[in-house]
Structures are given as structure tokens and as C-alpha cells.
Amino acid sequence: GDAKAGRQKALQCQTCHGLDGVAKIPEAPNLAGQQEGYLRKALRDYKTGARKNEMMSVVAPALSDADIDDLAAYFSGIPVEVKAP
Amino acid sequence: GDAKAGRQKALQCQTCHGLDGVAKIPEAPNLAGQQEGYLRKALRDYKTGARKNEMMSVVAPALSDADIDDLAAYFSGIPVEVKAP
């Protein structure tokens, strides 16, 4: 996917997920640095209904496959450093 | 939940999710620093079947509610630093 286009699309996601991929509401997951394939699958499943969520089941169907790939590329590409637990 | 008990329980999760919460296989999500409530809900949904996954639908039903709370406490407590995108 195209991360630059994804960032543009992510403007619609930032209220809950943050443009930096750090969740702004407790229910939303952090997306920064998440696995690209996992993000793609999550969006696809919300789009097909294989996975349901009050918000995402409304948002995802409006996304094209290209949007999904671009958003996954964008959020997975946000650099994250995990400190040893 | 009790993060120390969660770390013990997480020994069973590390093959895919890593003890550090950094996924070891492409399909598995990173868990380090994820929102605690989101992790709890994901595990609960896999346990009740509200959410399905080839692996998690087998793993989650074996978890007690306490295990779920402890695992969520453990993985969400792993410090993560997000770099500005």
C-alpha cells in the first residue's frame, strides 16, 4: 500500500486512533507499528462483516481495497520502539 | 489484572506474540503497549466466539477470566515509545 495516501486517509481515523497511531479513546486499539497484514485483515473483516464493531462496521465498508492497503501501510510504518518488559 | 501472573501465563503466548509483545509470526498482532481494555475484550470475544481466529478460538477458551485480566495487564504494561510519523 501507499503510506502517503494512507496518511491522507487516516485523517478520518484520527479521532479514535490518532494520526500517530496512538489511541485517543480507551476502546480503540493503538495502531502504530502494528503488523501490516494484521491491519489489512482487520479492515477487510470489518468490511465483509467477518468481524463486527459498533464503529468499524460503519467505517470500513466505505473503504476501498486500496484505502485498506494504504491505511495498513501507513499505520504499520509508524516507528515504534519496544522497551524490554 | 496482575501483570506478574500475566507474564507467567504469557509463556504460552510467546511463540506467536513474543514475551516482549512483538509478534514472531506475520499473522499475529504486536501486543506490547496495546490498550488494556482492548486486549481484554479481544480475549473475551475469542473465548465467547464473538470473534473467531484459527488459533485464538482454540487458545482463549482455556483461559480463565483472571488469566485474561492478567494477560491484558502484562502486555499493555510493556513500555512502548512511538516515534512521530
Side-chain angles (χ1 to χ4, degrees):
Chain A
D2 171 353
K4 236 165 80 46
R7 186 179 191 285
Q8 199 53 38
K9 196 69 194 169
L11 295 175
Q12 299 172 341
C13 316
Q14 65 182 318
T15 311
C16 298
H17 291 293
L19 203 53
D20 57 0
V22 178
K24 302 300 178 249
I25 62 167
E27 300 77 10
N30 297 317
L31 301 181
Q34 185 54 275
Q35 300 254 71
E36 188 166 5
Y38 178 81
L39 290 175
R40 257 204 312 274
K41 182 174 191 312
L43 286 174
R44 256 205 319 271
D45 287 352
Y46 281 129
K47 186 171 179 178
T48 63
R51 185 173 165 183
K52 297 199 180 4
N53 171 278
E54 210 182 318
M55 176 68 94
M56 292 305 290
S57 297
V58 174
V59 166
L63 298 174
S64 70
D65 291 345
D67 290 334
I68 286 176
D69 289 348
D70 296 345
L71 283 165
Y74 171 65
F75 282 113
S76 62
I78 297 174
V80 163
E81 196 195 321
V82 178
K83 307 272 188 300
Chain B
D2 170 354
K4 235 164 79 45
R7 186 178 190 286
Q8 199 52 37
K9 196 70 194 171
L11 295 174
Q12 299 173 339
C13 316
Q14 64 181 319
T15 310
C16 298
H17 291 293
L19 204 54
D20 57 359
V22 178
K24 303 299 178 251
I25 61 167
E27 300 78 10
N30 298 317
L31 301 181
Q34 183 55 276
Q35 299 255 71
E36 188 165 6
Y38 178 82
L39 290 175
R40 256 203 315 272
K41 182 175 190 314
L43 286 173
R44 255 204 321 268
D45 287 352
Y46 281 127
K47 186 172 178 175
T48 63
R51 185 173 166 184
K52 294 199 181 5
N53 171 278
E54 210 182 327
M55 176 66 95
M56 291 306 290
S57 297
V58 174
V59 167
L63 298 174
S64 69
D65 290 345
D67 290 334
I68 285 177
D69 289 349
D70 296 345
L71 284 165
Y74 171 66
F75 281 112
S76 62
I78 296 172
V80 163
E81 194 193 323
V82 179
K83 308 271 189 295

